[in-house]
Amino acid sequence: MRIRTAGVVALFALALAASGCGGDSDEPAAKDTPKAADGKLVIWADDKRTAALKPFAEKFGQENGVTVEVQAVSKDLQTNFVTASQQGSGPDVVVGAHDWIGNLVQNGAIDPVQLAAEQKSAFNATAIRAVTFNGQLYGVPYAQENLALIRNTELAPEAPKTIEDLVATGKALKASKKATETLCLQVGQNGDAYHIYPLYTSAGGYLFGTDANGDYDPKDLGVGKPESIDAFKKIGALGEKGAGVLKRSIADTNSIATFTGKKCAYLVSGPWAVADVKKANIAYDISAIPGFAGGKEAQPFVGVQAFYVAAKGKNKALAQEFVANYTSTPELAVALYNAEPRPPALTAALEQVKGADPDLAKFQEAGRNGQVLPAIPAMAAIWDPFGKAEAAVIGGADPTSTVTAAGKTISGQIK
């Protein structure tokens, strides 16, 4: 585990009570400053977020008379956090994806976060739902994201209404030698469940059913059932021995580059791809991923990035203060957006940035009917078997036997 300290800071004695009175203020609500066990608050984040957090960590340290260290964990942040938590050497706050929650709660690594109803109402409702697990709020969301269809408007002026329309246009572009690929949707040798999921749902497949409360039910596994087999048959028909639209040679390492190199007109990706598209000076537009003709709507996963309070941190009260009352301010949310342009989960922050970035509204519209990425522990059993089944079927393997075997593998791991 490589950790780099990016923020150091401050030992000024100023209480948070000086910063505001709560209510509709952008600043944290006034309250007594929690006492830090050793005068230090430690935050773990990835490289991009570490740089954006540094000035805000410094400000929080100044206001609370503590040192705040923002440490960049460059690889396997979730795994390293769980291990460090079990060893008693973890941080007080960690920043990560919402689908970590089930695993982190199962390992006793995070505590619920205390947010008032008024604070919750300031966030996008989907984002709050994503960080709620077993009826409790476990994180403060700051950004949300989903896949969409990014297209080169010089090659494809109109957004396709169905995947069949996309294929027809893509094939015509290949025939006229204006493109070498029909669609840039990353698959790779081991598959990619996240990127294929919109087509899987359009074809009628599902991962988990839901219970009476609307929560994902790990006992109702969709993989291996007839609906999933039928879905993979449609996916397979787009594969290497079918239409040649989906290929294992298109992977996470080259899908965006193939699009920015003007070798395909369509890219299935998220907000993180836009910077490269702009850098390549490509005329582009963003729309919803089209589904199969006569099928269901293609539903991408909706993911959320959030701040969590470590259950075994040394300064839990101070961590609660930072996460509940400091990370929920528009100022910080906008700074994190500027570090990596993903739609802010805080409504006030979204309003501040969307005027200068019309892509935000387009991504949100593309994910309007998306499905919250399951955060239950059983989801960890999905990724590898599902992805490998996808890659195999795209490569020409029999969908029925391949998906049935994947379902048995997943079911065995869940039990």
Short mmCIF file of all heavy atoms in Angstrom, two decimals, residues 193-263:
data_model
loop_
_atom_site.label_atom_id
_atom_site.label_comp_id
_atom_site.label_asym_id
_atom_site.label_seq_id
_atom_site.Cartn_x
_atom_site.Cartn_y
_atom_site.Cartn_z
N ALA A 193 -19.00 -6.15 -16.49
CA ALA A 193 -20.41 -6.17 -16.12
C ALA A 193 -21.02 -4.77 -16.07
O ALA A 193 -22.18 -4.56 -16.43
CB ALA A 193 -20.60 -6.87 -14.78
N TYR A 194 -20.23 -3.81 -15.63
CA TYR A 194 -20.72 -2.43 -15.48
C TYR A 194 -21.12 -1.84 -16.83
O TYR A 194 -22.18 -1.22 -16.95
CB TYR A 194 -19.63 -1.58 -14.82
CG TYR A 194 -20.00 -0.15 -14.56
CD1 TYR A 194 -20.77 0.19 -13.44
CD2 TYR A 194 -19.58 0.88 -15.40
CE1 TYR A 194 -21.11 1.51 -13.18
CE2 TYR A 194 -19.92 2.20 -15.15
CZ TYR A 194 -20.67 2.51 -14.04
OH TYR A 194 -21.01 3.82 -13.79
N HIS A 195 -20.28 -2.03 -17.84
CA HIS A 195 -20.55 -1.40 -19.13
C HIS A 195 -21.58 -2.15 -19.96
O HIS A 195 -22.26 -1.55 -20.80
CB HIS A 195 -19.24 -1.23 -19.92
CG HIS A 195 -18.42 -0.06 -19.47
ND1 HIS A 195 -17.65 -0.11 -18.32
CD2 HIS A 195 -18.27 1.18 -19.99
CE1 HIS A 195 -17.06 1.08 -18.17
NE2 HIS A 195 -17.42 1.86 -19.16
N ILE A 196 -21.71 -3.46 -19.78
CA ILE A 196 -22.69 -4.22 -20.56
C ILE A 196 -24.07 -4.17 -19.92
O ILE A 196 -25.08 -4.51 -20.56
CB ILE A 196 -22.23 -5.69 -20.75
CG1 ILE A 196 -22.94 -6.35 -21.96
CG2 ILE A 196 -22.50 -6.51 -19.48
CD1 ILE A 196 -22.60 -5.75 -23.28
N TYR A 197 -24.16 -3.73 -18.68
CA TYR A 197 -25.41 -3.81 -17.93
C TYR A 197 -26.59 -3.12 -18.62
O TYR A 197 -27.71 -3.66 -18.61
CB TYR A 197 -25.23 -3.26 -16.51
CG TYR A 197 -26.40 -3.54 -15.62
CD1 TYR A 197 -26.66 -4.84 -15.17
CD2 TYR A 197 -27.27 -2.53 -15.23
CE1 TYR A 197 -27.75 -5.12 -14.36
CE2 TYR A 197 -28.35 -2.79 -14.41
CZ TYR A 197 -28.59 -4.09 -13.98
OH TYR A 197 -29.68 -4.35 -13.17
N PRO A 198 -26.42 -1.93 -19.23
CA PRO A 198 -27.59 -1.32 -19.90
C PRO A 198 -28.19 -2.22 -20.98
O PRO A 198 -29.43 -2.31 -21.09
CB PRO A 198 -27.00 -0.04 -20.50
CG PRO A 198 -25.85 0.31 -19.63
CD PRO A 198 -25.25 -1.02 -19.26
N LEU A 199 -27.36 -2.88 -21.77
CA LEU A 199 -27.89 -3.78 -22.80
C LEU A 199 -28.50 -5.03 -22.17
O LEU A 199 -29.51 -5.54 -22.66
CB LEU A 199 -26.79 -4.16 -23.79
CG LEU A 199 -26.22 -3.02 -24.64
CD1 LEU A 199 -25.21 -3.56 -25.64
CD2 LEU A 199 -27.33 -2.26 -25.35
N TYR A 200 -27.91 -5.49 -21.09
CA TYR A 200 -28.44 -6.66 -20.37
C TYR A 200 -29.84 -6.37 -19.85
O TYR A 200 -30.74 -7.20 -19.97
CB TYR A 200 -27.47 -6.99 -19.24
CG TYR A 200 -27.88 -8.12 -18.32
CD1 TYR A 200 -27.84 -9.44 -18.73
CD2 TYR A 200 -28.26 -7.85 -17.00
CE1 TYR A 200 -28.19 -10.48 -17.88
CE2 TYR A 200 -28.60 -8.88 -16.13
CZ TYR A 200 -28.58 -10.19 -16.57
OH TYR A 200 -28.91 -11.21 -15.71
N THR A 201 -30.06 -5.19 -19.29
CA THR A 201 -31.39 -4.84 -18.77
C THR A 201 -32.39 -4.65 -19.90
O THR A 201 -33.55 -5.05 -19.78
CB THR A 201 -31.34 -3.58 -17.90
OG1 THR A 201 -30.82 -2.48 -18.67
CG2 THR A 201 -30.49 -3.78 -16.67
N SER A 202 -31.95 -4.04 -21.00
CA SER A 202 -32.86 -3.84 -22.13
C SER A 202 -33.34 -5.17 -22.69
O SER A 202 -34.49 -5.29 -23.13
CB SER A 202 -32.17 -3.03 -23.22
OG SER A 202 -33.01 -2.91 -24.36
N ALA A 203 -32.45 -6.15 -22.63
CA ALA A 203 -32.81 -7.48 -23.15
C ALA A 203 -33.59 -8.31 -22.13
O ALA A 203 -33.92 -9.46 -22.41
CB ALA A 203 -31.54 -8.22 -23.56
N GLY A 204 -33.87 -7.74 -20.96
CA GLY A 204 -34.73 -8.42 -19.98
C GLY A 204 -34.02 -9.04 -18.80
O GLY A 204 -34.67 -9.63 -17.93
N GLY A 205 -32.69 -8.92 -18.73
CA GLY A 205 -31.96 -9.53 -17.62
C GLY A 205 -31.99 -8.66 -16.37
O GLY A 205 -32.22 -7.46 -16.43
N TYR A 206 -31.74 -9.29 -15.23
CA TYR A 206 -31.60 -8.56 -13.97
C TYR A 206 -30.58 -9.27 -13.09
O TYR A 206 -30.27 -10.44 -13.30
CB TYR A 206 -32.94 -8.40 -13.26
CG TYR A 206 -33.50 -9.65 -12.60
CD1 TYR A 206 -33.34 -9.89 -11.24
CD2 TYR A 206 -34.21 -10.61 -13.34
CE1 TYR A 206 -33.86 -11.03 -10.63
CE2 TYR A 206 -34.73 -11.75 -12.76
CZ TYR A 206 -34.55 -11.95 -11.39
OH TYR A 206 -35.06 -13.09 -10.80
N LEU A 207 -30.03 -8.54 -12.13
CA LEU A 207 -29.06 -9.14 -11.20
C LEU A 207 -29.73 -9.65 -9.94
O LEU A 207 -29.61 -10.82 -9.58
CB LEU A 207 -27.98 -8.11 -10.83
CG LEU A 207 -27.07 -7.64 -11.95
CD1 LEU A 207 -26.00 -6.69 -11.40
CD2 LEU A 207 -26.40 -8.83 -12.63
N PHE A 208 -30.43 -8.75 -9.23
CA PHE A 208 -31.13 -9.11 -8.01
C PHE A 208 -32.55 -8.56 -8.06
O PHE A 208 -32.77 -7.45 -8.56
CB PHE A 208 -30.43 -8.53 -6.76
CG PHE A 208 -29.03 -9.02 -6.55
CD1 PHE A 208 -27.95 -8.20 -6.81
CD2 PHE A 208 -28.79 -10.31 -6.09
CE1 PHE A 208 -26.66 -8.62 -6.61
CE2 PHE A 208 -27.49 -10.76 -5.90
CZ PHE A 208 -26.42 -9.91 -6.16
N GLY A 209 -33.48 -9.32 -7.53
CA GLY A 209 -34.82 -8.80 -7.34
C GLY A 209 -34.84 -7.87 -6.14
O GLY A 209 -33.80 -7.62 -5.51
N THR A 210 -35.99 -7.35 -5.80
CA THR A 210 -36.12 -6.46 -4.64
C THR A 210 -37.15 -7.00 -3.66
O THR A 210 -38.07 -7.74 -4.04
CB THR A 210 -36.52 -5.04 -5.08
OG1 THR A 210 -37.72 -5.10 -5.87
CG2 THR A 210 -35.42 -4.40 -5.92
N ASP A 211 -36.98 -6.62 -2.39
CA ASP A 211 -37.92 -7.06 -1.36
C ASP A 211 -39.05 -6.05 -1.22
O ASP A 211 -39.17 -5.10 -2.00
CB ASP A 211 -37.20 -7.29 -0.03
CG ASP A 211 -36.50 -6.04 0.49
OD1 ASP A 211 -36.90 -4.92 0.10
OD2 ASP A 211 -35.58 -6.17 1.32
N ALA A 212 -39.87 -6.24 -0.20
CA ALA A 212 -41.04 -5.36 -0.01
C ALA A 212 -40.65 -3.91 0.23
O ALA A 212 -41.44 -3.00 -0.05
CB ALA A 212 -41.88 -5.89 1.16
N ASN A 213 -39.44 -3.68 0.75
CA ASN A 213 -38.99 -2.32 1.01
C ASN A 213 -38.28 -1.69 -0.19
O ASN A 213 -37.82 -0.54 -0.11
CB ASN A 213 -38.03 -2.30 2.21
CG ASN A 213 -38.71 -2.73 3.49
OD1 ASN A 213 -39.86 -2.37 3.74
ND2 ASN A 213 -38.00 -3.50 4.31
N GLY A 214 -38.17 -2.45 -1.27
CA GLY A 214 -37.48 -1.94 -2.44
C GLY A 214 -35.98 -2.14 -2.41
O GLY A 214 -35.27 -1.68 -3.31
N ASP A 215 -35.48 -2.85 -1.38
CA ASP A 215 -34.05 -3.12 -1.28
C ASP A 215 -33.69 -4.36 -2.10
O ASP A 215 -34.51 -5.27 -2.26
CB ASP A 215 -33.65 -3.35 0.19
CG ASP A 215 -33.87 -2.13 1.04
OD1 ASP A 215 -33.68 -1.00 0.53
OD2 ASP A 215 -34.25 -2.28 2.22
N TYR A 216 -32.45 -4.40 -2.61
CA TYR A 216 -32.01 -5.56 -3.37
C TYR A 216 -32.03 -6.81 -2.49
O TYR A 216 -31.59 -6.79 -1.33
CB TYR A 216 -30.61 -5.34 -3.92
CG TYR A 216 -30.57 -4.35 -5.07
CD1 TYR A 216 -29.96 -3.10 -4.93
CD2 TYR A 216 -31.13 -4.66 -6.30
CE1 TYR A 216 -29.91 -2.20 -5.99
CE2 TYR A 216 -31.09 -3.77 -7.37
CZ TYR A 216 -30.49 -2.53 -7.20
OH TYR A 216 -30.45 -1.64 -8.23
N ASP A 217 -32.54 -7.90 -3.06
CA ASP A 217 -32.68 -9.17 -2.34
C ASP A 217 -31.68 -10.19 -2.88
O ASP A 217 -31.85 -10.70 -3.99
CB ASP A 217 -34.10 -9.69 -2.51
CG ASP A 217 -34.35 -10.98 -1.75
OD1 ASP A 217 -33.44 -11.43 -1.03
OD2 ASP A 217 -35.46 -11.54 -1.89
N PRO A 218 -30.63 -10.51 -2.11
CA PRO A 218 -29.62 -11.46 -2.60
C PRO A 218 -30.17 -12.87 -2.80
O PRO A 218 -29.54 -13.69 -3.49
CB PRO A 218 -28.54 -11.42 -1.51
CG PRO A 218 -29.25 -10.97 -0.28
CD PRO A 218 -30.32 -10.02 -0.75
N LYS A 219 -31.33 -13.15 -2.24
CA LYS A 219 -31.93 -14.47 -2.40
C LYS A 219 -32.59 -14.63 -3.77
O LYS A 219 -32.89 -15.73 -4.19
CB LYS A 219 -32.94 -14.73 -1.29
CG LYS A 219 -32.32 -14.79 0.10
CD LYS A 219 -33.38 -15.01 1.17
CE LYS A 219 -32.76 -15.00 2.57
NZ LYS A 219 -33.80 -15.17 3.62
N ASP A 220 -32.86 -13.50 -4.41
CA ASP A 220 -33.46 -13.53 -5.74
C ASP A 220 -32.40 -13.16 -6.76
O ASP A 220 -32.28 -12.01 -7.19
CB ASP A 220 -34.64 -12.55 -5.80
CG ASP A 220 -35.36 -12.57 -7.16
OD1 ASP A 220 -34.98 -13.40 -8.02
OD2 ASP A 220 -36.28 -11.76 -7.36
N LEU A 221 -31.60 -14.13 -7.15
CA LEU A 221 -30.52 -13.92 -8.11
C LEU A 221 -31.04 -14.13 -9.53
O LEU A 221 -31.58 -15.18 -9.85
CB LEU A 221 -29.37 -14.89 -7.82
CG LEU A 221 -28.19 -14.86 -8.80
CD1 LEU A 221 -27.46 -13.53 -8.74
CD2 LEU A 221 -27.22 -16.01 -8.49
N GLY A 222 -30.84 -13.12 -10.37
CA GLY A 222 -31.34 -13.21 -11.73
C GLY A 222 -30.41 -13.92 -12.69
O GLY A 222 -30.85 -14.45 -13.72
N VAL A 223 -29.12 -13.93 -12.39
CA VAL A 223 -28.15 -14.54 -13.29
C VAL A 223 -28.33 -16.06 -13.29
O VAL A 223 -28.29 -16.70 -12.24
CB VAL A 223 -26.71 -14.18 -12.89
CG1 VAL A 223 -25.71 -14.75 -13.90
CG2 VAL A 223 -26.55 -12.67 -12.78
N GLY A 224 -28.51 -16.62 -14.47
CA GLY A 224 -28.75 -18.06 -14.60
C GLY A 224 -30.21 -18.39 -14.85
O GLY A 224 -30.54 -19.50 -15.26
N LYS A 225 -31.09 -17.40 -14.63
CA LYS A 225 -32.51 -17.63 -14.89
C LYS A 225 -32.80 -17.40 -16.37
O LYS A 225 -31.99 -16.82 -17.09
CB LYS A 225 -33.35 -16.70 -14.00
CG LYS A 225 -33.30 -17.10 -12.53
CD LYS A 225 -34.24 -16.27 -11.68
CE LYS A 225 -34.21 -16.78 -10.23
NZ LYS A 225 -35.07 -15.96 -9.36
N PRO A 226 -33.97 -17.86 -16.84
CA PRO A 226 -34.28 -17.75 -18.27
C PRO A 226 -34.14 -16.33 -18.82
O PRO A 226 -33.69 -16.15 -19.96
CB PRO A 226 -35.73 -18.23 -18.35
CG PRO A 226 -35.85 -19.21 -17.22
CD PRO A 226 -35.01 -18.64 -16.11
N GLU A 227 -34.52 -15.32 -18.02
CA GLU A 227 -34.42 -13.94 -18.50
C GLU A 227 -32.98 -13.56 -18.82
O GLU A 227 -32.71 -12.85 -19.81
CB GLU A 227 -34.98 -12.96 -17.46
CG GLU A 227 -36.43 -13.15 -17.13
CD GLU A 227 -36.67 -14.04 -15.93
OE1 GLU A 227 -35.84 -14.95 -15.68
OE2 GLU A 227 -37.68 -13.83 -15.23
N SER A 228 -32.06 -14.02 -17.98
CA SER A 228 -30.65 -13.68 -18.20
C SER A 228 -30.09 -14.44 -19.40
O SER A 228 -29.25 -13.91 -20.15
CB SER A 228 -29.82 -13.99 -16.95
OG SER A 228 -29.73 -15.38 -16.71
N ILE A 229 -30.53 -15.65 -19.59
CA ILE A 229 -30.06 -16.43 -20.75
C ILE A 229 -30.54 -15.78 -22.05
O ILE A 229 -29.77 -15.63 -23.01
CB ILE A 229 -30.56 -17.89 -20.65
CG1 ILE A 229 -29.88 -18.59 -19.46
CG2 ILE A 229 -30.28 -18.64 -21.95
CD1 ILE A 229 -30.45 -19.95 -19.14
N ASP A 230 -31.80 -15.35 -22.06
CA ASP A 230 -32.33 -14.67 -23.25
C ASP A 230 -31.57 -13.37 -23.50
O ASP A 230 -31.30 -13.01 -24.66
CB ASP A 230 -33.82 -14.38 -23.07
CG ASP A 230 -34.67 -15.64 -23.12
OD1 ASP A 230 -34.18 -16.67 -23.62
OD2 ASP A 230 -35.82 -15.59 -22.65
N ALA A 231 -31.23 -12.66 -22.42
CA ALA A 231 -30.49 -11.41 -22.56
C ALA A 231 -29.11 -11.65 -23.17
O ALA A 231 -28.67 -10.93 -24.07
CB ALA A 231 -30.36 -10.72 -21.20
N PHE A 232 -28.45 -12.70 -22.71
CA PHE A 232 -27.12 -13.00 -23.24
C PHE A 232 -27.17 -13.52 -24.67
O PHE A 232 -26.20 -13.37 -25.42
CB PHE A 232 -26.40 -13.98 -22.31
CG PHE A 232 -25.55 -13.30 -21.27
CD1 PHE A 232 -26.05 -13.05 -20.01
CD2 PHE A 232 -24.26 -12.89 -21.57
CE1 PHE A 232 -25.29 -12.41 -19.05
CE2 PHE A 232 -23.49 -12.24 -20.63
CZ PHE A 232 -24.00 -12.00 -19.35
N LYS A 233 -28.28 -14.10 -25.06
CA LYS A 233 -28.42 -14.51 -26.46
C LYS A 233 -28.41 -13.27 -27.36
O LYS A 233 -27.80 -13.27 -28.43
CB LYS A 233 -29.70 -15.32 -26.65
CG LYS A 233 -29.62 -16.74 -26.09
CD LYS A 233 -30.92 -17.50 -26.30
CE LYS A 233 -30.82 -18.92 -25.74
NZ LYS A 233 -32.11 -19.64 -25.90
N LYS A 234 -29.09 -12.21 -26.92
CA LYS A 234 -29.12 -10.97 -27.70
C LYS A 234 -27.74 -10.31 -27.70
O LYS A 234 -27.31 -9.77 -28.72
CB LYS A 234 -30.17 -10.02 -27.13
CG LYS A 234 -31.60 -10.44 -27.41
CD LYS A 234 -32.58 -9.34 -27.07
CE LYS A 234 -33.98 -9.70 -27.53
NZ LYS A 234 -34.94 -8.60 -27.29
N ILE A 235 -27.08 -10.36 -26.56
CA ILE A 235 -25.73 -9.80 -26.48
C ILE A 235 -24.78 -10.59 -27.37
O ILE A 235 -23.95 -10.03 -28.09
CB ILE A 235 -25.25 -9.78 -25.01
CG1 ILE A 235 -26.05 -8.73 -24.22
CG2 ILE A 235 -23.75 -9.50 -24.91
CD1 ILE A 235 -25.86 -8.79 -22.72
N GLY A 236 -24.91 -11.90 -27.33
CA GLY A 236 -24.07 -12.76 -28.16
C GLY A 236 -24.26 -12.50 -29.64
O GLY A 236 -23.32 -12.60 -30.43
N ALA A 237 -25.50 -12.16 -30.02
CA ALA A 237 -25.78 -11.88 -31.44
C ALA A 237 -25.05 -10.64 -31.92
O ALA A 237 -24.82 -10.48 -33.13
CB ALA A 237 -27.28 -11.72 -31.65
N LEU A 238 -24.66 -9.77 -30.97
CA LEU A 238 -23.87 -8.58 -31.32
C LEU A 238 -22.37 -8.86 -31.25
O LEU A 238 -21.56 -7.98 -31.54
CB LEU A 238 -24.20 -7.43 -30.36
CG LEU A 238 -25.62 -6.87 -30.40
CD1 LEU A 238 -25.79 -5.82 -29.30
CD2 LEU A 238 -25.93 -6.26 -31.76
N GLY A 239 -22.01 -10.09 -30.88
CA GLY A 239 -20.62 -10.43 -30.62
C GLY A 239 -19.79 -10.76 -31.84
O GLY A 239 -20.19 -10.53 -33.00
N GLU A 240 -18.64 -11.35 -31.58
CA GLU A 240 -17.62 -11.57 -32.61
C GLU A 240 -18.06 -12.55 -33.69
O GLU A 240 -17.61 -12.47 -34.84
CB GLU A 240 -16.33 -12.05 -31.94
CG GLU A 240 -15.70 -10.99 -31.05
CD GLU A 240 -14.63 -11.55 -30.13
OE1 GLU A 240 -14.17 -12.69 -30.38
OE2 GLU A 240 -14.25 -10.87 -29.16
N LYS A 241 -18.92 -13.49 -33.35
CA LYS A 241 -19.41 -14.45 -34.35
C LYS A 241 -20.80 -14.08 -34.85
O LYS A 241 -21.43 -14.85 -35.57
CB LYS A 241 -19.39 -15.86 -33.78
CG LYS A 241 -17.98 -16.36 -33.50
CD LYS A 241 -17.95 -17.82 -33.12
CE LYS A 241 -16.51 -18.30 -32.92
NZ LYS A 241 -16.44 -19.74 -32.54
N GLY A 242 -21.25 -12.88 -34.42
CA GLY A 242 -22.54 -12.36 -34.89
C GLY A 242 -22.32 -11.09 -35.68
O GLY A 242 -21.64 -11.10 -36.71
N ALA A 243 -22.85 -10.00 -35.19
CA ALA A 243 -22.76 -8.73 -35.90
C ALA A 243 -21.39 -8.08 -35.81
O ALA A 243 -21.08 -7.15 -36.57
CB ALA A 243 -23.82 -7.76 -35.36
N GLY A 244 -20.54 -8.56 -34.89
CA GLY A 244 -19.20 -8.00 -34.75
C GLY A 244 -19.18 -6.61 -34.14
O GLY A 244 -18.21 -5.86 -34.30
N VAL A 245 -20.23 -6.27 -33.41
CA VAL A 245 -20.33 -4.95 -32.78
C VAL A 245 -19.61 -4.93 -31.43
O VAL A 245 -18.92 -3.96 -31.09
CB VAL A 245 -21.82 -4.55 -32.58
CG1 VAL A 245 -21.94 -3.25 -31.81
CG2 VAL A 245 -22.51 -4.46 -33.94
N LEU A 246 -19.78 -5.99 -30.66
CA LEU A 246 -19.11 -6.13 -29.36
C LEU A 246 -17.89 -7.03 -29.53
O LEU A 246 -18.00 -8.13 -30.08
CB LEU A 246 -20.07 -6.72 -28.33
CG LEU A 246 -21.34 -5.90 -28.04
CD1 LEU A 246 -22.27 -6.67 -27.11
CD2 LEU A 246 -20.98 -4.55 -27.42
N LYS A 247 -16.74 -6.54 -29.04
CA LYS A 247 -15.50 -7.28 -29.22
C LYS A 247 -14.66 -7.27 -27.95
O LYS A 247 -14.60 -6.26 -27.25
CB LYS A 247 -14.67 -6.65 -30.35
CG LYS A 247 -15.31 -6.67 -31.72
CD LYS A 247 -14.40 -6.03 -32.74
CE LYS A 247 -14.97 -6.05 -34.14
NZ LYS A 247 -14.04 -5.42 -35.12
N ARG A 248 -13.99 -8.39 -27.70
CA ARG A 248 -13.09 -8.45 -26.54
C ARG A 248 -11.85 -7.58 -26.75
O ARG A 248 -11.18 -7.21 -25.77
CB ARG A 248 -12.69 -9.90 -26.29
CG ARG A 248 -13.82 -10.76 -25.74
CD ARG A 248 -13.47 -12.22 -25.73
NE ARG A 248 -13.33 -12.73 -27.10
CZ ARG A 248 -12.98 -13.98 -27.40
NH1 ARG A 248 -12.74 -14.84 -26.42
NH2 ARG A 248 -12.90 -14.36 -28.66
N SER A 249 -11.55 -7.23 -27.99
CA SER A 249 -10.39 -6.38 -28.26
C SER A 249 -10.63 -4.93 -27.83
O SER A 249 -9.69 -4.15 -27.70
CB SER A 249 -10.04 -6.42 -29.74
OG SER A 249 -11.15 -5.99 -30.53
N ILE A 250 -11.89 -4.57 -27.60
CA ILE A 250 -12.21 -3.24 -27.05
C ILE A 250 -12.27 -3.39 -25.54
O ILE A 250 -13.13 -4.09 -25.01
CB ILE A 250 -13.55 -2.71 -27.59
CG1 ILE A 250 -13.52 -2.61 -29.11
CG2 ILE A 250 -13.87 -1.35 -26.97
CD1 ILE A 250 -12.55 -1.58 -29.65
N ALA A 251 -11.34 -2.75 -24.85
CA ALA A 251 -11.20 -2.92 -23.40
C ALA A 251 -11.10 -1.56 -22.72
O ALA A 251 -11.15 -0.51 -23.36
CB ALA A 251 -9.96 -3.77 -23.10
N ASP A 252 -10.94 -1.61 -21.41
CA ASP A 252 -10.83 -0.36 -20.66
C ASP A 252 -9.59 0.43 -21.04
O ASP A 252 -9.53 1.65 -20.83
CB ASP A 252 -10.85 -0.63 -19.15
CG ASP A 252 -9.71 -1.54 -18.69
OD1 ASP A 252 -9.07 -2.20 -19.54
OD2 ASP A 252 -9.47 -1.59 -17.47
N THR A 253 -8.61 -0.24 -21.61
CA THR A 253 -7.35 0.42 -21.97
C THR A 253 -7.41 1.17 -23.30
O THR A 253 -6.56 2.01 -23.57
CB THR A 253 -6.22 -0.62 -22.05
OG1 THR A 253 -6.60 -1.66 -22.96
CG2 THR A 253 -5.94 -1.22 -20.67
N ASN A 254 -8.41 0.86 -24.12
CA ASN A 254 -8.41 1.47 -25.45
C ASN A 254 -9.77 1.96 -25.95
O ASN A 254 -9.87 2.49 -27.05
CB ASN A 254 -7.82 0.50 -26.49
CG ASN A 254 -8.67 -0.75 -26.67
OD1 ASN A 254 -9.69 -0.93 -26.02
ND2 ASN A 254 -8.23 -1.64 -27.55
N SER A 255 -10.83 1.77 -25.19
CA SER A 255 -12.16 2.14 -25.70
C SER A 255 -12.27 3.64 -25.93
O SER A 255 -12.74 4.08 -27.00
CB SER A 255 -13.26 1.68 -24.74
OG SER A 255 -13.12 2.29 -23.47
N ILE A 256 -11.84 4.44 -24.96
CA ILE A 256 -11.91 5.89 -25.12
C ILE A 256 -10.95 6.36 -26.21
O ILE A 256 -11.30 7.20 -27.05
CB ILE A 256 -11.63 6.61 -23.79
CG1 ILE A 256 -12.72 6.26 -22.76
CG2 ILE A 256 -11.55 8.12 -23.97
CD1 ILE A 256 -12.46 6.78 -21.37
N ALA A 257 -9.75 5.80 -26.21
CA ALA A 257 -8.75 6.19 -27.21
C ALA A 257 -9.20 5.83 -28.63
O ALA A 257 -8.91 6.57 -29.59
CB ALA A 257 -7.41 5.52 -26.90
N THR A 258 -9.90 4.73 -28.78
CA THR A 258 -10.41 4.36 -30.11
C THR A 258 -11.44 5.38 -30.58
O THR A 258 -11.47 5.77 -31.75
CB THR A 258 -11.03 2.95 -30.06
OG1 THR A 258 -10.05 2.01 -29.60
CG2 THR A 258 -11.51 2.52 -31.44
N PHE A 259 -12.25 5.86 -29.66
CA PHE A 259 -13.25 6.88 -30.01
C PHE A 259 -12.59 8.22 -30.31
O PHE A 259 -12.90 8.86 -31.32
CB PHE A 259 -14.25 7.03 -28.87
CG PHE A 259 -15.30 8.08 -29.11
CD1 PHE A 259 -16.38 7.82 -29.93
CD2 PHE A 259 -15.20 9.34 -28.52
CE1 PHE A 259 -17.35 8.79 -30.18
CE2 PHE A 259 -16.16 10.32 -28.75
CZ PHE A 259 -17.24 10.04 -29.58
N THR A 260 -11.67 8.63 -29.44
CA THR A 260 -11.02 9.93 -29.67
C THR A 260 -10.12 9.89 -30.91
O THR A 260 -9.80 10.93 -31.48
CB THR A 260 -10.19 10.36 -28.45
OG1 THR A 260 -9.22 9.36 -28.14
CG2 THR A 260 -11.09 10.60 -27.24
N GLY A 261 -9.71 8.70 -31.32
CA GLY A 261 -8.95 8.54 -32.55
C GLY A 261 -9.83 8.49 -33.79
O GLY A 261 -9.35 8.22 -34.89
N LYS A 262 -11.14 8.73 -33.59
CA LYS A 262 -12.13 8.79 -34.67
C LYS A 262 -12.25 7.47 -35.43
O LYS A 262 -12.53 7.45 -36.62
CB LYS A 262 -11.81 9.94 -35.63
CG LYS A 262 -11.81 11.31 -34.96
CD LYS A 262 -11.57 12.43 -35.95
CE LYS A 262 -11.59 13.78 -35.24
NZ LYS A 262 -11.38 14.91 -36.19
N LYS A 263 -12.06 6.37 -34.69
CA LYS A 263 -12.18 5.06 -35.31
C LYS A 263 -13.56 4.45 -35.10
O LYS A 263 -13.89 3.42 -35.69
CB LYS A 263 -11.10 4.12 -34.76
CG LYS A 263 -9.69 4.57 -35.11
CD LYS A 263 -8.65 3.65 -34.50
CE LYS A 263 -7.24 4.13 -34.85
NZ LYS A 263 -6.20 3.27 -34.23
#
